[in-house]
Structures are given as structure tokens and as C-alpha cells.
Amino acid sequence: MQPEPRKGAVLTRFVTSRCVAVAIGALVPGVVIAQQMAVPATGQAAPTPTPTSTEAAPQQSKPVAIPTPATDPQGSTPVIDDKDFNAALPKLSNDINAPLEPIPQEAPFTPQTAATPPASTVPPVTPAPNVAPGTLPPVAEPPAELAQPLPPLDPNVKPNDVADTVADKAAEVRYDTAVVGLDKLGLEGSFKSLSSLKKGGGKAANKAMVSARAREDEALAIRLMKAQGYYDGSAISTIEPVPTDKTRLRVTVNATPGPLYRFGTVTIDSGPVVPTDLIVKNLNLNPGDPIEADRVQGAEANVSLQLGQTGYPFSRLGTRDILLDDKTFTGDYTLPVDLGPRSRFGDVVVTGRPFNAKHVRVLRRFKPGDLYDTRLTDDLRKALVATSMYSTVSVAPVDTGRNNPDGTRIVDIAVDQTIGKTRSVSGTAGYSTGQGFRAEGTFTARNAFPPEGAFVGTLIGGTQEQGASVTFRRSNWLQRDRTLTLSLAAGHSNYDAFNANTIQLIGRVSYDSTPIWQKKFTYYYGFELTGTNETAYDFATMDRQRGTYFIAALPVMGQFDTSDDLLNPTRGYRVKLSLSPETSVRGAARPYLRSLAEASAYYPVSTSLVLAGRVRVGSIVGIERDDLAPSRRYYGGGGGSVRGYGYQRLGPFDPNGDPVGGRSLNEFALEARYRFGNFGIVPFLDGGNSYASSMPKFNDWRLGAGIGGRFYTNFGPIRIDVATPLNRRPGDSRIALYISIGQAF
């Protein structure tokens, strides 16, 4: 038999293990009872120990010893010997991966102590169900109360009652905002535009939200002051009730700028540059200047821009360093600059479609050997985009590693292109008194004949004009921005002045402005071959006669344009001269010269008001009026002429009251274009007439006045003009309406 302390140790160790303790409790309940009885009860039900005459009452703070065989007052006989104890232990497997054996299911032992309530008050214990090894016991049935249906809602409670309660809890807090200390720095406007308190509109869900916004505005005020050079600036906000209205709060942001910091030294860390003062001159930051963030950033951006425009395509600006001294209130500024090699243009390298390198070279405005300039690189990229051939295109310099004789680097221009959709359908529509409705639809295949050889098909439908045409157009023909056009058109026109069936073959070379590039000087020249069958009033027979005319013309036009927009000019002027030497063949050839001069000017009175004016003078010399095809004569009146009068109804008339046209005309127009947002109002006054003589007489003018509305879009203004003739003749309408895209001139 082993010593007693060994037993106590083994007994104590196994009692702490749950599985083994249950086994011991089942085999040797006396031991467990003795251990539990040795623990004193606490609480209200705990019995009060009675001290004897020879022993003081035990203190509650002292532990009570568990009886052992050595201290058992009943004797020294062991409760169980080692042999029986070891035999009662469960057998353990040497396989650590073996599954656990099931625990015998027995009713738990409930010891009876002095604190245990009577048996009549103890609820019965439900015996644990027998569970097969490796399975879980069945889920217990829920209490009957949980299985009962929920009681119905009170019909007197309405949903709005809940909503009103929530609304009461979420009552808004109203507040006023004031800022102090930023007005002297000129920052109050910037603060108000960025303020969280201002953006809240004086309303918040609660006071905590007002406090959060105030803290954001404190940080905003500090950032604004630092941006102006006040690096020691501070800001604090206060929130207090408005004295006159206790339901409102007043939030005041008090800003204290502190001293203004200025540049101490300005250092540029770079290699030698050509010219030597290139960076210093364009940086323009000097000791003693305030350290203003906007000015510093603008100066650095200007340096980067100028370097790229003067031969340094690979230049890079490093991170600036400003070392502040809070004693002298100065900052030493250092800017590192990596210049890269000074470079000149080399060749063009192309990848992708739709253009080869030869056609891209036509679009460039630089030659190999020219000093590199980022503006020319950007210009080439814009020219490529203007072709409308791409889904994506990039233009970038590439270092070849080769040098020119003067030591500059040769850089090629890499064009990486991806072709986009080259077919499109477009349409326009309009209405004017005298011409009625007119709609035009166009189908364009922009790269049907590469490079940039477009096929254009056009259909025209209207109340007084119908026609169709096919056109071949070669853009950037042998020269950038020059266009070659060949067109075949057939149409029918039915106006008061004439009724014509016409076929035309037109060839033209033009240098035109586009919405991307508006050029100061534009021109065109070409030829026209026209065959037309028209009705004309014969004053000899006093009747309309139909005749066929064959016309050959060599038209030419030149325009000088300083205006700022093609469709909506607001400043500048335009001067245009058109000449067309022509020959009309109707039995005999009759050469003549058609000429038309036009000038317009635009003066901005303010940002919202522009005054615009136009004059036009035309003349046909070398032929009698009645020998001219009616469609080649000059007429006045209509949306592009003198508004208020019908289309082509200014000038001489036949005895039937139909216009017969003339050999000269003069016109003027004045407009006051007032714009507000995307809308505008345009009062206008027009005047003019056409004459049978070859030179305009500048008398007997017909005046028209009216008012127009404008809706401005990203592609130009939509124009609606209503006009009335001021010196109306018999047969003239009182009101004329014109709808189109773009200004009248």
C-alpha cells in the first residue's frame, strides 16, 4: 500500500477531470460526499457553525480543510485501498486516435445537505435518454408557451402613430453660421463655398452633427490659412443658443492666422539648362514673397510646361521641400528638377490602324530637326482625333538614344492607334415661312477609300425642295486641313420665283474651319457644271416659259475670321468675298461675273449681352437679267436674309405678283443677343432689297423686326425667330417664323 499523501494527490487530480470524476462518483460516492460536505455553505441558507468551549469560532475568510485518512477523527482506516481504487478506473487505450467511449447514462446523484429543500419542493429529474454511440441526443421539445400563436395587434394602433413618434425623435436642429478672422485674408468667400456648415443649409439632425461639421470647418479654416502662408494659424468653433431664439444655435468659427511666412531662399536643384534662365524666369518665386500654395503650384506647373515647349520632353519636377523657421517666419524652398536630354523631332512611328506613317506625316506641323515642342505633339493628336476614325489614339515622344550633331537627342513620335466606327448617320431639320419644312439625312462612310476617303449619301425632303446627292470627299488631301470634294446631285425646287429640275456636277478644293479648329483664313475654289430646266417669266410674251440652261462656273471664295466660335460668335469679326465667273448657254454663250461681299462683327457689352451686326452686298455684271437662269439671280427675304418677309420675296415682281429676282442686292441686320443660362432672347432689326440693275441702289429698303429665342446646346444654339415686316406690302404675311440651328449670322 502506497503512502497516504500519494492517495490524496491522486484523488485530488482525478476529481478535477470531468469524465473521471463522474466515474469516481458512481463507484465511490462516499468520497465525493465527504469532499462536498467539507465545503461550507454561503448565502442566506448557509448554517451557522456553533463554536465549542475549547475551540474558537472559525473565521469565514479561512479555508476549511478536506478530511483525509491522516486527519480523519473517526480513525485511520482508509476509505478505499489502492487495489480497489485502481480496479475502479476505466481502461485506457494506447491508441490516441481511438474514439471516446460513451459515458454510462445514469441519473445524477443529488446529495442531501442541510441547505437542500424538502423533497416535496424539488422538481422531478427527467432521466437522460439512451443515446447510441456516435449520435447526438434528440432535440428537446420547446415549451408549450412558445408554440402558442402571437396575440393579434391592437386595431386602435395606426402606422402613422409610429411614424409621428420617429419624426418627433428626429427633429431637426436649426443653426446659424459665422466665421471670424478670414475676411482680412480674403478667404471668407473660399471658406463659405467649401464649408460643411454652409452646405448643411443651417439644418442638422442633432447637435452632435452640428459639432462634427464645426470641427470639419475648423480644419478647413486652418488649411485655407496655410495655403496663404499662415502656417501657425489656428481655428476654434463655439456653439451656443441664439439669445433671441432658444430653439436655434449659433456656430462661430474663430480663425487666428498668426504670422505670415515668406520665402527665405529659393534653390533650384537641376543640371545646366538652355537658356540658362529658363527655369528661374518661369518659376518666378523670389525671397521675401509670401509662401502661397496656389502661386507655388502654378509656378511649378509653368516650369513643367515651358520645359516641354523648349526641347525637354522627358523633364520631371521632383517633390518640393520647404523648411520653415518659426523664429524668423521664413521658409527655404528647394525644387529638384530632372531635365532629361534636350531633344529635337525625329520621325513618326505608327502602330495599329487606320493610317500609315505616310498619312500621319501629312497631319504633323513639325519637321525632323525642329526643336521639340509639346504643343506640336498635342496638335498632332488633336488632328488625328478630328478625323473621327478612332476609338483610341495616343501620341508620345520616344527616346531613340541617338544624338544630333549639335548634341541634342533625337526623339521619334510614336502614334498608337485603334480604329473606331467609321460609318455614321446624321440629320437636320428646320422650318421657315416661304420655304416650309426641310429635312436632310446623311449617311457617311468616312474611310471607304483609305486614307480618309469618304463616301457621303444625302437625301433632302421638304415641302418645296426634294433631292439626292452622292459625294466623294478626301480629307487632308496632300496637305493638312485641305479637302477634295466631288459631288453629283439631282433635285427639284418649287418656289414662287421659279420651278426647277436640276442636275449638278461639282468639284471643289477647300480649306475650311471645323468645330475643333476655327481658322482665321479659309477658302475654296473649284468648278460647277449645271443643267437645269426652269420656269421664267417672259416679259415679252407676258407669260411664264420653261427653258433649259447649261451653266459652267469657276467659283472661288476667301474668308478672314477672327470670331471666337463658328455657330455662336461673341467677339471678333468676319469678312467674306465670293466670286464666280460663269457662262450661261441657252442658244448662245453669255459669260458674266457673280460677286458677293459680306462682313459681320460681334461686340460683347457684358458677359451676357452681345451686339451683332452684318452687311451684305451682291452684284452680277456682264449679262441681262432675263438671260440669267432664275436660280442664279439674287433674291432677298427669308431666314438668312431680311426676316419678316417671305423667302425670295424681296425685289422685282412680275405682273402676277411673283418675284423674278435681280442682278444686285444689299442687306443689313442688327441683333442684341442676351443670354441667361442655357436660354437667350434676341431682338433684331433687318433691312434690304434686291434690284434689277447690276449695282445695288441702296434705296427702297424693306425693314423687318422681331424677337428670337435661343436654346444653347453643346453643338450650338437652336434658333426660333418670329418677325414682322415694318413696311408691309400687299400679299406680305404679318408674321414669319424661322427655326434652325446656329445664329442667323
Side-chain angles (χ1 to χ4, degrees):
M1 182 174 292
Q2 297 180 1
E4 296 292 336
R6 180 62 179 172
K7 292 182 181 180
V10 172
L11 178 60
T12 304
R13 181 176 63 189
F14 275 89
V15 168
T16 60
S17 175
R18 180 179 178 184
C19 297
V20 178
V22 174
I24 294 175
L27 296 175
V28 196
V31 176
V32 177
I33 292 173
Q35 186 174 358
Q36 291 181 352
M37 291 294 293
V39 179
T42 60
Q44 294 180 355
T48 303
T50 303
T52 61
S53 59
T54 60
E55 180 177 69
Q59 299 296 327
Q60 293 294 334
S61 59
K62 293 182 180 181
V64 179
I66 298 176
T68 64
T71 59
D72 189 1
Q74 302 296 329
S76 60
T77 302
V79 177
I80 185 172
D81 58 14
D82 289 346
K83 182 178 180 181
D84 295 337
F85 181 83
N86 292 331
L89 293 177
K91 302 298 182 180
L92 299 179
S93 173
N94 293 328
D95 185 3
I96 61 174
N97 296 320
L100 295 177
E101 297 178 358
I103 300 174
Q105 302 295 323
E106 296 185 7
F109 174 78
T110 304
Q112 298 292 330
T113 63
T116 302
S120 60
T121 63
V122 177
V125 178
T126 302
N130 293 327
V131 180
T135 61
L136 295 175
V139 180
E141 291 293 333
E145 293 82 356
L146 295 181
Q148 298 297 324
L150 295 175
L153 296 176
D154 188 350
N156 296 323
V157 178
K158 299 179 180 180
N160 290 338
D161 297 339
V162 180
D164 294 340
T165 304
V166 175
D168 293 340
K169 293 182 180 179
E172 289 183 331
V173 175
R174 306 278 180 157
Y175 63 87
D176 301 324
T177 304
V179 57
V180 179
L182 295 181
D183 53 341
K184 297 180 180 179
L185 306 180
L187 298 175
E188 189 169 1
S190 300
F191 177 85
K192 290 181 179 179
S193 64
L194 301 173
S195 167
S196 297
L197 290 167
K198 289 291 185 180
K199 290 180 180 178
K203 301 177 183 178
N206 47 55
K207 188 175 180 180
M209 183 177 291
V210 178
S211 300
R213 293 175 182 174
R215 288 192 296 271
E216 291 180 6
D217 281 3
E218 291 175 3
L220 171 63
I222 293 174
R223 290 198 306 271
L224 292 174
M225 289 186 290
K226 286 184 176 181
Q228 294 294 314
Y230 297 91
Y231 288 91
D232 294 338
S234 61
I236 189 171
S237 60
T238 58
I239 303 176
E240 56 187 356
V242 177
T244 58
D245 188 354
K246 299 298 184 181
T247 63
R248 297 181 66 89
L249 299 176
R250 175 180 295 160
V251 185
T252 304
V253 179
N254 294 276
T256 304
L260 175 63
Y261 281 74
R262 300 178 181 272
F263 287 111
T265 60
V266 177
T267 304
I268 300 172
D269 184 8
S270 73
V273 62
V274 180
T276 56
D277 63 343
L278 176 62
I279 300 178
V280 175
K281 180 177 65 177
N282 290 286
L283 186 65
N284 195 25
L285 297 178
N286 305 301
D289 293 345
I291 307 177
E292 299 176 0
D294 291 343
R295 185 184 173 193
V296 172
Q297 293 173 355
E300 293 174 355
N302 188 48
V303 169
S304 181
L305 182 67
Q306 293 298 324
L307 286 172
Q309 294 177 359
T310 53
Y312 293 93
F314 308 111
S315 61
R316 297 290 184 271
L317 270 61
T319 303
R320 78 183 74 89
D321 179 66
I322 301 178
L323 181 61
L324 299 178
D325 188 341
D326 57 1
K327 296 181 179 179
T328 60
F329 306 117
T330 60
D332 294 337
Y333 173 88
T334 302
L335 178 66
V337 179
D338 181 8
L339 294 172
R342 192 164 184 254
S343 306
R344 297 184 181 275
F345 284 110
D347 201 358
V348 173
V349 180
V350 174
T351 57
R353 296 175 55 228
F355 302 139
N356 55 26
K358 180 180 178 180
H359 188 66
V360 174
R361 294 188 189 104
V362 173
L363 301 178
R364 66 184 180 184
R365 295 187 189 274
F366 55 84
K367 298 178 181 179
D370 290 346
L371 192 65
Y372 182 87
D373 191 336
T374 53
R375 291 171 294 188
L376 299 177
T377 305
D378 293 339
D379 178 77
L380 176 58
R381 180 173 59 253
K382 292 178 181 178
L384 293 170
V385 172
T387 64
S388 301
M389 297 286 188
Y390 294 99
S391 61
T392 60
V393 60
S394 64
V395 180
V398 177
D399 190 354
T400 64
R402 306 190 310 270
N403 290 339
N404 291 296
D406 62 354
T408 56
R409 189 66 59 86
I410 299 175
V411 294
D412 289 343
I413 302 302
V415 178
D416 185 10
Q417 50 186 352
T418 303
I419 192 170
K421 295 181 179 179
T422 59
R423 290 173 171 80
S424 63
V425 177
S426 62
T428 60
Y431 172 83
S432 64
T433 301
Q435 286 180 281
F437 287 98
R438 184 182 187 276
E440 180 177 323
T442 302
F443 167 78
T444 304
R446 288 184 292 275
N447 206 36
F449 310 97
E452 290 195 83
F455 170 82
V456 183
T458 303
L459 290 176
I460 298 174
T463 55
Q464 294 178 274
E465 181 182 1
Q466 305 84 37
S469 67
V470 291
T471 301
F472 166 78
R473 183 184 65 213
R474 174 80 72 185
S475 301
N476 298 302
W477 178 61
L478 302 179
Q479 177 185 325
R480 175 171 163 174
D481 301 332
R482 185 167 63 183
T483 304
L484 172 65
T485 305
L486 294 174
S487 179
L488 179 64
H492 170 72
S493 302
N494 184 16
Y495 298 108
D496 293 341
F498 57 85
N499 184 296
N501 298 309
T502 305
I503 296 178
Q504 284 185 306
L505 176 63
I506 300 172
R508 179 173 294 180
V509 176
S510 61
Y511 183 76
D512 298 322
S513 287
T514 66
I516 297 179
W517 283 288
Q518 184 174 345
K519 304 171 182 65
K520 285 189 176 182
F521 181 72
T522 57
Y523 63 84
Y524 70 75
Y525 60 87
F527 70 89
E528 294 181 12
L529 297 177
T530 303
T532 178
N533 182 268
E534 303 180 2
T535 58
Y537 187 84
D538 189 342
F539 284 89
T541 62
M542 303 297 291
D543 194 10
R544 280 189 174 270
Q545 302 291 330
R546 180 170 288 277
T548 301
Y549 301 82
F550 296 98
I551 302 166
L554 298 174
V556 60
M557 184 278 296
Q559 176 175 275
F560 188 76
D561 185 359
T562 66
S563 65
D564 58 347
D565 191 272
L566 285 177
L567 296 178
N568 184 36
T570 60
R571 64 178 68 248
Y573 63 89
R574 298 171 180 169
V575 179
K576 179 180 178 181
L577 177 63
S578 300
L579 298 174
S580 180
E582 300 180 4
T583 296
S584 178
V585 179
R586 189 184 184 196
R590 295 178 175 86
Y592 58 92
L593 176 66
R594 300 177 80 243
S595 61
L596 183 67
E598 182 177 347
S600 58
Y602 314 93
Y603 177 74
V605 178
S606 65
T607 56
S608 57
L609 179 62
V610 175
L611 298 181
R614 183 201 64 185
V615 294
R616 177 188 293 165
V617 178
S619 174
I620 302 175
V621 296
I623 191 172
E624 294 298 324
R625 181 193 65 182
D626 294 342
D627 293 330
L628 275 171
S631 61
R632 311 297 288 186
R633 301 171 188 175
Y634 283 134
Y635 301 88
S641 177
V642 181
R643 287 163 286 187
Y645 295 88
Y647 179 66
Q648 297 180 338
R649 293 197 63 83
L650 283 186
F653 287 84
D654 63 20
N656 298 323
D658 294 325
V660 295
R663 293 185 294 167
S664 64
L665 88 161
N666 51 23
E667 296 173 354
F668 78 88
L670 295 174
E671 290 188 348
R673 300 171 180 173
Y674 179 74
R675 178 174 180 174
F676 50 96
N678 291 328
F679 299 91
I681 297 177
V682 181
F684 56 85
L685 174 66
D686 296 346
N689 210 338
S690 66
Y691 308 90
S693 61
S694 61
M695 297 300 294
K697 297 181 178 180
F698 297 97
N699 60 9
D700 193 24
W701 280 3
R702 297 294 171 177
L703 301 177
I707 191 168
R710 303 290 185 269
F711 176 66
Y712 294 91
T713 67
N714 57 356
F715 56 84
I718 297 176
R719 173 168 66 104
I720 303 176
D721 289 341
V722 179
T724 184
L726 297 183
N727 44 356
R728 189 168 63 91
R729 303 162 303 182
D732 289 336
S733 299
R734 293 184 179 274
I735 298 295
L737 175 66
Y738 310 94
I739 303 174
S740 65
I741 296 176
Q743 299 286 5
F745 57 89

